Amino acid sequence: MNQQNPAKLIVVLLALVASVYFLIPTYNYYSLPQEERELNPTQETKELQKKALNLGLDLQGGMHVSLEVNLLELMKTTANNSTLSSGLPSPEFQKFTSVLEEKSKGSDAEFFTLFGEAVSETGIQLATYYGDGDRGISNDEIIAKLKEEATSAIDQALAILRNRVDEFGVSEPIIQKQGDRRIVIELAGVKDKKAALSLIGSSALLEFKLVGDDAKIPDFLSKIDVKLAQNDFKFSAKATESDTASTSSNETSQGLTDFGKTQTDSAKTDSTKKDNLFEPEKNNLFSSLVAHNPGSSEIIVPNKDYAKVMEILSQSYVKEGLIRYEFLPYKREATATNDTPWRFILVNKTAELTGKYITDAAVSMNASTPIPVVSLEMDGEGSHIWARVTGNNINKRIAIALDGKIHSAPVVRSKITGGRSVIEGMGSIDEAKALAIVIKAGALPAPVDIIGLTTVGASLGKDTIEKGKMASYIGAILVVIAMIAAYRVMGVLACVSLGFTMLTIFALLSAFHATLTLPGIAGLALTIGMAVDANVLIYERIREEIDLGKTVHSAIQIGFEKSKSAIYDSNITTFLSGIILYTFGTGPVRGFALTLMVGIITSVFAALVVTRLLIEFVYKKKDTLNVGGVTFLNNKNINFLGYGKYGFIFSLVITFIGIGAVLFGGLNYGIEFKGGTVIEYNFDKDVNIEDVRASLKKVNYGNAEIQTFGDLKNIVIKIDTPEKLEETTQLLKNT
């Protein structure tokens, strides 16, 4: 019948084989016990998960991270004139920030309310430190301007975190503001806290700093000891309780090492001599904790004393004593043990170059070793600065720091032009990928503090998920019954084609490691409807050709050819809508759009190729064809144009009713658009989600979003904010 059938058959068979291949990991992964998948996953399980189809947060839960943007640090970095000409902090500004810090501790009050109170208490003139020193600007005007900058910084942090999560491959995340300075992130399927921290917790502040003069270190150690004695320094309980266990875990921060035409660190500590390095000098608090490693610009700190040293170095008067320098720790190596000491290096406080000049960061493999590296590219200005810095500091060391930790301090051997750099030292391809993501996304405009990190259950709840499954099964069965009842054998072939569509959709989603969420399932449902519509168009067209007396083979050929335009028109317009949603949408909206677009491509292919192959195979040697069809369409004498004016009037009335409803009644926005209230309940024992939802129905909150928070004893309920919040909260509590 069709000379192209063998080629089409090969394409369909290849698609089937590929679909099975990509779906096998998904089947194998979800066949594993839940404990093996989530609680104690092996390396093989993790690798299997990377190839499997993800379920969204609403279907399987994941990681809940609460962040707070550190506006205090933002205010410090925003100030233009907070240091004196000597390099020391301004006493007035230092007093102001100290008062503000005390007020902010443990307070839920709006930050700039506390900011204003601190201004009143200290009598500071903000124009001296903000607004380029213009004395004509009042404190109120500056506070209003700082408010705008803080809001912009939080929005920027929100966008950067969203980019990081999207680039990392965690699909359908929930990322939203909470209050005036908090950000909540929920990552579907992520149960590893360490992985979440490495992705979200990093500020990604990349700095290139000159290493200080080693000869200054003995004098600095003495100055620090004097400062500690003068201020009667005492360690905090947190520092004194810190032991080997608190700092022995290997850090997950990414490693930066050699760049361009340089060589590795010139000074390394001889671990065999470490016992001789830690002879305590009892009269000197700081000196008794550290040991100078001559010729390296480094001090060595025992692992058990790391927290104490960090606390000393964080004191403002210690920073003053170091003037234009600071001690920064090296990152821990992957092979570090409890006996491995920490290395601190003396560097300039001011960075020669920062990550803002980095335009791209990509993962590649080292040419000489099978180890992943991250290649950096700088913009024109960054390239110029880097060439100048390296050219002026040949045979000197430049430290590369990420978020306050040194990753390498190589010696510059020649001037580096072209704005290229290489970051080495990663333990795995995943570590390199994570580093490239945070650098490429950019540094956060202000530090973020992680105030909560826990696992959450499916936001839909087990009961809702089960009901959704049941509804999907019933819908699919009804579609199959309707198609077979209407088109008999042709209906069976349409159902087979529909099965092919669903198989390839899930296979493509698995191949791209996409995430299936409730909006995605809605996209699948829409795809099924459109796939059925395409078959109905084809079958009705074939039936018309049969009624006109065409042969079976001719009717099939003409039916498919003449129905193509209608199928293309309806699917292309919907596909374009999907592109727009995917381009401008985020989170669940993109999930819906992706599923919809994949479904359109596969359903059109199935209708025009798979269905045709099946029909031509079944009716290859038959001379009769009973298509069946919808009987009321058999009447071809319906005067549609005669009823046109009534249809126009009816459409006009409905349109005006719709416009009036929107203008006068408004739209009923959900929590996603207008926000709401989050209520957390802590029970003495595990609770049943179905029972909780039944109780909520009694007070007209049956559609509330319910999540487990950590375990079944902690429940979070998200509802629209009621007019009488306290009364409603108490009512919910009593249920």
Side-chain angles (χ1 to χ4, degrees):
M1 296 177 62
N2 192 328
Q3 299 298 324
Q4 297 179 342
N5 276 359
K8 291 180 179 179
L9 181 60
I10 292 173
V11 171
V12 171
L13 291 176
L14 288 175
L16 283 173
V17 172
S19 297
V20 173
Y21 172 79
F22 285 116
L23 284 175
I24 286 176
T26 298
Y27 175 80
N28 291 339
Y29 177 72
Y30 288 105
S31 297
L32 296 173
Q34 184 176 4
E35 180 178 354
E36 186 175 346
R37 282 189 283 116
E38 299 179 0
L39 302 180
N40 299 302
T42 62
Q43 186 60 37
E44 290 77 10
T45 302
K46 292 179 181 179
E47 291 299 324
L48 194 62
Q49 183 186 13
K50 293 178 181 180
K51 300 177 182 179
L53 175 65
N54 279 333
L55 297 180
L57 193 72
D58 49 3
L59 298 177
Q60 71 162 338
M63 186 68 64
H64 176 100
V65 187
S66 297
L67 307 170
E68 186 171 273
V69 178
N70 194 326
L71 295 183
L72 175 62
E73 289 299 321
L74 179 63
M75 294 301 101
K76 290 180 181 179
T77 56
T78 304
N80 298 322
N81 308 302
S82 59
T83 57
L84 303 176
S85 58
S86 62
L88 298 175
S90 164
E92 182 187 38
F93 188 77
Q94 192 173 13
K95 179 183 177 182
F96 165 70
T97 55
S98 297
V99 171
L100 180 57
E101 185 174 4
E102 283 300 318
K103 287 181 170 291
S104 300
K105 285 180 180 178
S107 175
D108 291 328
E110 201 268 333
F111 177 80
F112 282 97
T113 299
L114 302 176
F115 189 91
E117 293 175 0
V119 169
S120 300
E121 288 183 20
T122 58
I124 189 174
Q125 292 298 314
L126 295 177
T128 305
Y129 306 99
Y130 301 96
D132 298 325
D134 184 355
R135 300 278 179 162
I137 303 177
S138 67
N139 281 347
D140 290 340
E141 289 176 308
I142 292 177
I143 291 175
K145 182 180 179 182
L146 291 176
K147 261 187 181 180
E148 293 179 2
E149 291 181 4
T151 301
S152 176
I154 294 171
D155 291 339
Q156 186 181 350
L158 198 69
I160 289 173
L161 290 170
R162 180 174 284 114
N163 288 338
R164 288 187 189 179
V165 173
D166 288 344
E167 288 288 334
F168 192 69
V170 180
S171 301
E172 318 304 338
I174 295 176
I175 306 175
Q176 59 190 18
K177 289 173 64 175
Q178 190 178 74
D180 66 324
R181 49 179 160 165
R182 290 189 177 180
I183 297 174
V184 172
I185 301 177
E186 292 184 332
L187 306 173
V190 177
K191 302 296 173 75
D192 187 349
K193 293 185 178 182
K194 190 176 292 185
L197 284 172
S198 66
L199 177 67
I200 296 170
S202 172
S203 295
L205 178 58
L206 183 65
E207 298 175 302
F208 297 79
K209 297 187 172 188
L210 287 174
V211 173
D213 185 359
D214 180 73
K216 295 180 181 291
I217 290 182
D219 182 49
F220 282 148
L221 298 184
S222 299
K223 284 184 177 180
I224 293 174
D225 285 332
V226 172
K227 289 284 187 180
L228 294 174
Q230 289 175 344
N231 290 273
D232 193 25
F233 173 78
K234 302 292 183 185
F235 288 114
S236 66
K238 183 178 180 181
T240 54
E241 289 172 3
S242 176
D243 54 17
T244 303
S246 65
T247 56
S248 62
S249 60
N250 296 332
E251 295 178 351
T252 58
S253 57
Q254 293 74 22
L256 285 77
T257 56
D258 207 14
F259 52 76
K261 302 174 183 177
T262 64
Q263 65 182 32
T264 56
D265 299 355
S266 61
K268 296 292 183 180
T269 302
D270 185 354
S271 60
T272 61
K273 298 180 180 179
K274 64 185 177 183
D275 293 334
N276 297 325
L277 293 174
F278 303 137
E279 290 295 333
E281 299 175 21
K282 297 181 180 179
N283 296 326
N284 299 311
L285 181 57
F286 188 67
S287 299
S288 67
L289 298 174
V290 307
H292 178 207
N293 188 12
S296 67
S297 296
E298 297 177 7
I299 57 176
I300 310 301
V301 179
N303 188 37
K304 63 183 179 62
D305 294 326
Y306 172 78
K308 293 180 180 179
V309 170
M310 289 297 290
E311 186 169 73
I312 289 174
L313 293 175
S314 68
Q315 304 304 309
S316 59
Y317 49 83
V318 171
K319 293 180 180 179
E320 291 174 14
L322 294 175
I323 309 178
R324 294 181 176 85
Y325 296 92
E326 63 182 339
F327 283 105
L328 293 181
Y330 272 89
K331 72 174 284 286
R332 297 282 276 179
E333 301 295 337
T335 56
T337 66
N338 293 345
D339 296 326
T340 305
W342 285 80
R343 299 161 58 201
F344 284 71
I345 188 167
L346 182 70
V347 297
N348 288 2
K349 278 185 181 178
T350 304
E352 303 297 321
L353 188 72
T354 65
K356 76 175 184 178
Y357 299 104
I358 304 299
T359 58
D360 192 23
V363 179
S364 58
M365 301 305 292
N366 194 313
S368 57
T369 60
I371 299 175
V373 298
V374 176
S375 302
L376 302 179
E377 292 187 10
M378 303 174 189
D379 59 18
E381 185 179 358
S383 300
H384 176 74
I385 295 173
W386 191 226
R388 174 179 55 79
V389 170
T390 54
N392 293 340
N393 293 280
I394 293 175
N395 294 326
K396 295 181 181 179
R397 299 170 68 196
I398 297 181
I400 307 174
L402 182 68
D403 292 340
K405 282 191 173 63
I406 301 297
H407 292 257
S408 180
V411 177
V412 179
R413 295 303 181 189
S414 63
K415 181 178 180 179
I416 302 174
T417 58
R420 293 181 180 273
S421 231
V422 176
I423 303 173
E424 300 176 341
M426 267 65 68
S428 66
I429 191 72
D430 290 336
E431 187 179 340
K433 179 182 176 183
L435 174 61
I437 287 169
V438 295
I439 292 177
K440 190 174 181 179
L444 294 173
V448 291
D449 301 322
I450 296 179
I451 59 177
L453 181 67
T454 187
T455 56
V456 294
S459 58
L460 290 178
K462 185 178 179 181
D463 56 335
T464 307
I465 294 173
E466 292 301 323
K467 290 177 181 177
K469 287 181 180 179
M470 183 58 66
S472 300
Y473 296 151
I474 293 174
I477 292 172
L478 290 177
V479 168
V480 170
I481 292 174
M483 288 299 293
I484 294 176
Y487 296 105
R488 301 177 180 86
V489 176
M490 301 276 277
V492 173
L493 300 181
C495 292
V496 173
S497 177
L498 187 60
F500 174 88
T501 301
M502 300 305 296
L503 183 69
T504 51
I505 288 175
F506 282 112
L508 286 172
L509 293 177
S510 295
F512 289 107
H513 199 53
T515 298
L516 183 64
T517 61
L518 188 63
I521 293 175
L524 287 175
L526 183 57
T527 297
I528 292 174
M530 296 180 70
V532 170
D533 287 345
N535 281 285
V536 169
L537 284 172
I538 293 168
Y539 290 173
E540 290 298 323
R541 192 68 199 180
I542 292 175
R543 185 178 59 79
E544 289 179 3
E545 297 301 322
I546 292 292
D547 292 344
L548 290 173
K550 299 289 178 63
T551 64
V552 171
H553 300 166
S554 179
I556 292 174
Q557 184 175 356
I558 295 173
F560 272 95
E561 292 300 322
K562 290 189 175 182
S563 60
K564 279 183 180 180
S565 59
I567 293 173
Y568 287 151
D569 285 345
S570 61
N571 283 280
I572 287 174
T573 53
T574 308
F575 191 85
L576 291 175
S577 300
I579 292 176
I580 295 171
L581 288 174
Y582 188 84
T583 303
F584 297 102
T586 59
V589 175
R590 296 188 79 181
F592 170 80
L594 177 62
T595 308
L596 179 63
M597 290 188 292
V598 171
I600 288 172
I601 294 172
T602 55
S603 63
V604 170
F605 176 80
L608 297 179
V609 178
V610 178
T611 303
R612 184 166 184 172
L613 281 174
L614 292 172
I615 292 176
E616 290 182 348
F617 176 78
V618 171
Y619 292 97
K620 184 176 182 180
K621 297 181 179 180
K622 294 186 178 180
D623 297 325
T624 59
L625 173 62
N626 186 355
V627 179
V630 185
T631 56
F632 74 86
L633 292 178
N634 291 338
N635 183 6
K636 300 181 180 62
N637 297 317
I638 300 176
N639 185 12
F640 287 103
L641 294 179
Y643 297 101
K645 60 181 180 180
Y646 301 108
F648 177 77
I649 294 172
F650 179 76
S651 299
L652 202 61
V653 170
I654 294 296
T655 300
F656 279 113
I657 291 175
I659 294 173
V662 172
L663 292 177
F664 299 104
L667 296 174
N668 185 19
Y669 292 102
I671 293 179
E672 298 89 346
F673 290 95
K674 66 179 182 180
T677 300
V678 177
I679 307 173
E680 183 176 347
Y681 291 94
N682 301 310
F683 297 91
D684 295 329
K685 59 181 181 179
D686 291 351
V687 296
N688 188 298
I689 301 297
E690 289 83 349
D691 294 340
V692 174
R693 192 175 299 281
S695 299
L696 289 171
K697 286 182 180 179
K698 296 178 182 178
V699 289
N700 298 321
Y701 284 102
N703 293 325
E705 184 177 308
I706 306 173
Q707 281 181 286
T708 57
F709 204 78
D711 54 41
L712 289 174
K713 294 179 182 178
N714 300 306
I715 303 296
V716 171
I717 300 174
K718 299 178 183 179
I719 61 173
D720 292 336
T721 301
E723 294 182 1
K724 299 180 179 179
L725 179 59
E726 292 185 5
E727 293 181 14
T728 305
T729 303
Q730 186 62 38
L731 186 64
L732 291 172
K733 184 178 179 181
N734 293 335
T735 59

